[in-house]
Amino acid sequence: QVQLVESGGGLVQAGGSLRLSCAASGRAFSSYSMGWFRQAPGKEREFVAAISSSGVVTTYARSLKGRFTISRDNAEMTVYLQMNSLKPEDTAVYYCARGRRTLSGEGVEEYDYWGQGTQVTVSS
């Protein structure tokens, strides 16, 4: 059974930074891609970033590239999301998810296990 547990969310002022972590349990973590999504109140869940199983390939939502960085530590079975220059519109619940393949894209259907989410609130 795969479990994903996010941490690192909180309240931050605009322009600040946060680093989210997602700790995984279960087998073969290094065989699967991982992704981060977010969902703001009243909005659909949207893709933030993804990383291949090896960590070599990363993809980002076009609007976020340059401010957010995804990384992973396969030995620690953890994926990270470094968020810089945060804006009020980044306020959302952030979810990590395990991809179905070694490299997954932006669609929620490409991911099979999800964490419970961590709240990020950016004040103006």
Side-chain angles (χ1 to χ4, degrees):
Q1 183 70 11
V2 175
Q3 288 189 324
L4 303 174
V5 180
E6 302 96 336
S7 61
L11 175 64
V12 63
Q13 288 188 335
S17 297
L18 281 175
R19 188 192 195 202
L20 305 184
S21 300
C22 173
S25 63
R27 296 182 178 180
F29 175 80
S30 60
S31 297
Y32 297 92
S33 57
M34 297 294 295
W36 285 97
F37 289 75
R38 68 185 184 182
Q39 188 166 18
K43 295 188 177 181
E44 293 186 352
R45 192 167 298 189
E46 66 172 350
F47 172 78
V48 172
I51 187 166
S52 63
S53 57
S54 65
V56 171
V57 180
T58 58
T59 58
Y60 297 91
R62 186 173 299 180
S63 62
L64 300 176
K65 193 172 183 179
R67 294 195 296 124
F68 289 15
T69 303
I70 189 171
S71 61
R72 67 189 294 162
D73 184 333
N74 283 343
E76 295 295 326
M77 296 178 62
T78 301
V79 62
Y80 303 97
L81 185 68
Q82 178 67 43
M83 306 185 295
N84 298 328
S85 302
L86 284 162
K87 305 175 182 181
E89 52 264 42
D90 294 320
T91 295
V93 178
Y94 283 72
Y95 299 90
C96 74
R98 192 189 79 167
R100 298 181 186 273
R101 300 175 295 179
T102 57
L103 178 61
S104 298
E106 301 184 6
V108 295
E109 70 280 359
E110 299 185 58
Y111 298 82
D112 54 5
Y113 289 95
W114 295 79
Q116 83 289 348
T118 186
Q119 176 71 47
V120 171
T121 302
V122 184
S123 63
S124 58

